[in-house]
Amino acid sequence: QEGMPQTLSSTSMFTPCGFSPHLHTSKDDEQGGLIFQDGNLTSASLDALIQHLIPTTDYYPEKAYIFTFLLSSRLFIEPHELLSRVCHKCIEQQRLDDPVLDKARIRKFGPKILQLLTEWTETFPYDFQEERMIGHLKDMIHRIAPCDEAYWKKMNQLLQTLNQKLATLSHGQEGIVKISAAVSDKLVAFKSKPPSIQREILSVCSDPYTLAQQLTHVELERLSHIGPEEFVQAFVHKDPLDGTKTCFSEQKKTSNLEAYVKWFNRLCYLVATEICMPAKKKQRAQVIEFFIDVARECFNIGNFNSLMAIISGMNMSPVSRLKKTWSKVKTAKFFILEHQMDPTGNFYNYRTALRGAAHRSLTAHSNREKIVIPFFSLLIKDIYFLNEGCANRLPNGHVNFEKFLELAKQVGEFITWKQVECPFEQDPNIIHYLHTAPIFTEDGLYLASYESESPENQTEKDRWKSLR
C-alpha cells in the first residue's frame, strides 16, 4: 500500500455536484487523499486536492471549492506551478497529446476547462501578471481549439478582460503610489505650525455628510485594488514539506494591503492635525464637533474603517490632552461612537454592528445599503490569528482543508464587500485634499498641542522643551 501513487485516476468517485460525502467510508480513499466529515471535505493530500480541482467531461468542482483551493494553495505551491500541473493532468486525462483528438469528448470537456480558467482569471487576476501563467493558459486552449472554433473566441475574450482588469488595477496602484510619494516628500515634515495660508478641512468641505461620502469613495477605491490572495500571502511561511525554497515570500505581493493600512494611518494623523492646528480654542472645538458628525455619518453608511480612523485620531494624546478645547465640545455623541468601537470583549460592540451591516447588505436593494467597509486592521488580525492558531498541514502531511474553508469564508465575505460600486458622487476637490493635505508628524502634533494649551505637568514641560 505504501508505494501507491497519490492520485485518483477514477473519476467515478466524484459526484457531479462536487463534494461526495460517502468518500470516507473505505480506508483506500484515505490513502488516495480526500477525507470527508459530515459531507464536508476536511483534509487531503495536495495531489488529491489538485485532482479535485480538475474538470472532466462529467465533473466540475463546486465554486466554493475552487475559491478556497486557489486562495490557500499558494501556501504550498506557486500559482504558476499549480496551473502547470493542472494543464499537465488535463492533457494526460483527456489525451490531448494524441495525434487524433477525440472531438466529441473534448467538446464536453472544453467548456469546463475554459470555465475554470475564467474563474481563476476573474478572482485572482494578479496571478496572471506572470508570463508563465499566460503561457500555460494559451497552451491549454491551443490544444482544445482545433475541436471547436468558438474556443479561440473564448480565449481572446478571456485575455482581453484580464488585460483590462490588470490595466485598471495597475493604473489605480500608480495613482496611489504617486499620491503617497508626493505627500511624504513635501509635507509630513512640519515640525512647528505650518504657515497660515494652509487651507483647513472646513474650508474645503463643511458638510459632515458629504465628507463621510467622500471618505467612503476613497475607502472603496482602495479596497478594490486588494487581491484576495494578499491576505494569504501576508502569512506565507516555509512549507515544511518543501525544504528547498520558501514559498515565494521574497516577493510578498501585499502592496495594496499595505497601502490601505497606510491610508488608515494618514487619516488618523489628518484628523489630529486638523484639530491641533487652529490657534483659537473655539475653532478647535468646532473641528472636533465636525469630525464627530463625520464619524457618525460613516457609521450610518457602514464605513467602519474611516470611523475607526477618525476616533483613533481624536484619541491621540496631543488631541485628548486639550482639556479646555474638549470642555467646549458636546461630547455625548462622541462617547456613543467610542462605545461602538470599544475594544473590550474582542470588539464585541463593533462586531455586532458589523454583522448588522453585513446582514443589511445581503438584503439590500440599492448600492447605498450594500456598503460594508470593515475596520481593516482588525480583519487582518482575525485572519492572522486564524492562520497562527491552526496548522496548514496535519501530522500525516495532509492539507488541513477545514482551516482553509474558514479562511475562505472570511476572505470571501470581504471580496463581496469590496465589489460594491460607490453610489455617491465624487468630489475631486475633497478627495485631493484628503490625499494631499499636510499632516504633522507625532512631534509636530505635540508642538502644536502645547502651543494651543500649554504643558500642565513636568513631563509635558520637558517634552515641549526637548521638541523646541
Side-chain angles (χ1 to χ4, degrees):
Q1 280 288 295
E2 280 313 309
M4 270 181 61
Q6 285 210 318
T7 51
L8 297 172
S9 48
S10 130
T11 49
S12 60
M13 283 160 104
F14 297 102
T15 50
C17 70
F19 299 155
S20 163
H22 57 263
L23 270 183
H24 61 289
T25 46
S26 93
K27 268 324 249 179
D28 263 354
D29 299 333
E30 298 187 21
Q31 181 79 46
L34 292 179
I35 310 294
F36 286 82
Q37 214 170 358
D38 306 323
N40 294 318
L41 181 53
T42 54
S43 75
S45 67
L46 187 58
D47 278 339
L49 290 172
I50 295 173
Q51 182 62 55
H52 198 49
L53 181 70
I54 294 172
T56 64
T57 49
D58 53 8
Y59 162 74
Y60 189 76
E62 281 184 347
K63 216 175 168 58
Y65 177 76
I66 297 173
F67 178 69
T68 304
F69 185 57
L70 290 181
L71 177 71
S72 55
S73 60
R74 59 201 67 240
L75 291 166
F76 308 99
I77 180 172
E78 292 186 41
H80 73 88
E81 204 175 317
L82 175 62
L83 185 54
S84 161
R85 282 176 66 174
V86 166
C87 292
H88 190 75
K89 287 193 169 185
C90 286
I91 292 165
E92 227 170 70
Q93 286 164 21
Q94 303 302 325
R95 299 200 271 286
L96 298 177
D97 267 344
D98 287 7
V100 181
L101 296 175
D102 177 348
K103 287 196 175 180
R105 177 184 174 143
I106 286 166
R107 281 203 193 97
K108 275 190 188 165
F109 166 73
K112 293 189 168 138
I113 188 69
L114 279 166
Q115 174 65 28
L116 182 70
L117 294 170
T118 306
E119 282 189 47
W120 195 333
T121 56
E122 281 172 355
T123 320
F124 299 95
Y126 289 122
D127 284 353
F128 292 85
Q129 280 173 318
E130 259 203 85
E131 276 304 307
R132 285 182 286 195
M133 291 291 283
I134 301 283
H136 294 316
L137 188 131
K138 285 182 174 167
D139 174 59
M140 190 67 233
I141 294 170
H142 280 229
R143 286 171 184 275
I144 60 171
C147 297
D148 194 330
E149 278 298 294
Y151 295 160
W152 290 116
K153 211 171 121 190
K154 262 296 205 343
M155 173 171 85
N156 286 328
Q157 265 173 340
L158 191 150
L159 290 173
Q160 224 175 338
T161 314
L162 179 64
N163 283 331
Q164 275 167 343
K165 197 156 186 181
L166 285 172
T168 313
L169 290 168
S170 72
H171 175 72
Q173 277 176 303
E174 276 159 30
I176 286 173
V177 170
K178 238 187 252 148
I179 286 172
S180 313
V183 172
S184 56
D185 287 355
K186 62 175 191 272
L187 303 168
V188 186
F190 280 145
K191 265 288 203 248
S192 59
K193 283 207 169 179
S196 55
I197 50 164
Q198 149 87 37
R199 288 194 305 172
E200 78 289 344
I201 189 78
L202 286 169
S203 67
V204 182
C205 174
S206 58
D207 173 40
Y209 190 63
T210 308
L211 186 61
Q213 292 187 341
Q214 298 310 306
L215 284 168
T216 304
H217 248 294
V218 175
E219 298 279 352
L220 285 170
E221 157 72 17
R222 288 181 167 245
L223 278 184
S224 70
H225 297 119
I226 299 173
E229 70 282 357
E230 296 192 40
F231 290 101
V232 174
Q233 273 153 356
F235 310 124
V236 166
H237 299 305
K238 223 173 159 132
D239 181 17
L241 288 193
D242 180 15
T244 52
K245 58 181 188 302
T246 346
C247 219
F248 66 156
S249 53
E250 308 80 55
Q251 55 200 55
K252 267 206 191 140
K253 305 180 183 127
T254 53
S255 53
N256 301 298
L257 198 131
E258 287 160 29
Y260 189 48
V261 172
K262 277 198 184 113
W263 150 253
F264 179 91
N265 293 336
R266 170 172 169 80
L267 184 52
C268 291
Y269 273 84
L270 180 65
V271 168
T273 301
E274 295 285 347
I275 294 170
C276 291
M277 218 165 29
K280 294 194 167 61
K281 180 169 61 188
K282 192 175 153 193
Q283 283 171 303
R284 289 194 300 274
Q286 196 189 352
V287 177
I288 291 179
E289 294 202 323
F290 172 71
F291 274 120
I292 293 172
D293 289 338
V294 174
R296 195 174 56 174
E297 291 305 338
C298 286
F299 180 82
N300 293 338
I301 288 172
N303 177 356
F304 297 106
N305 203 51
S306 293
L307 165 65
M308 201 52 146
I310 294 170
I311 291 176
S312 306
M314 290 182 169
N315 280 327
M316 286 174 81
S317 49
V319 177
S320 61
R321 67 169 290 281
L322 298 170
K323 307 236 178 5
K324 295 181 184 121
T325 304
W326 280 95
S327 70
K328 294 253 174 285
V329 173
K330 301 185 196 68
T331 46
K333 284 192 291 191
F334 180 61
F335 293 138
I336 292 168
L337 287 172
E338 252 198 333
H339 178 66
Q340 282 297 345
M341 289 298 174
D342 181 9
T344 48
N346 190 10
F347 288 91
Y348 178 80
N349 296 347
Y350 158 69
R351 290 181 192 278
T352 308
L354 179 70
R355 273 202 302 279
H359 185 71
R360 174 188 73 186
S361 173
L362 286 176
T363 54
H365 297 297
S366 67
N367 277 349
R368 174 70 188 72
E369 297 169 320
K370 276 189 193 147
I371 299 170
V372 184
I373 300 169
F375 169 31
F376 194 64
S377 51
L378 188 61
L379 176 71
I380 292 181
K381 209 160 132 186
D382 285 346
I383 291 175
Y384 176 78
F385 283 119
L386 168 66
N387 188 61
E388 290 295 299
C390 324
N392 289 339
R393 287 193 191 261
L394 303 174
N396 65 357
H398 273 197
V399 172
N400 181 3
F401 203 72
E402 227 171 336
K403 167 181 176 172
F404 296 120
L405 281 168
E406 184 52 42
L407 182 70
K409 201 168 87 185
Q410 294 194 17
V411 176
E413 199 170 25
F414 168 79
I415 299 302
T416 317
W417 296 336
K418 87 181 183 98
Q419 283 165 344
V420 175
E421 287 275 313
C422 192
F424 310 120
E425 205 166 319
Q426 200 170 2
D427 183 324
N429 232 349
I430 299 176
I431 288 184
H432 181 75
Y433 185 85
L434 288 171
H435 279 128
T436 59
I439 50 175
F440 287 132
T441 57
E442 198 175 350
D443 286 352
L445 281 174
Y446 273 110
L447 265 174
S449 179
Y450 293 143
E451 277 171 38
S452 299
E453 296 186 18
S454 48
E456 298 216 320
N457 54 39
Q458 204 44 54
T459 321
E460 290 194 345
K461 284 178 185 150
D462 293 344
R463 178 156 201 171
W464 197 22
K465 212 159 144 185
S466 73
L467 282 174
R468 282 185 309 181

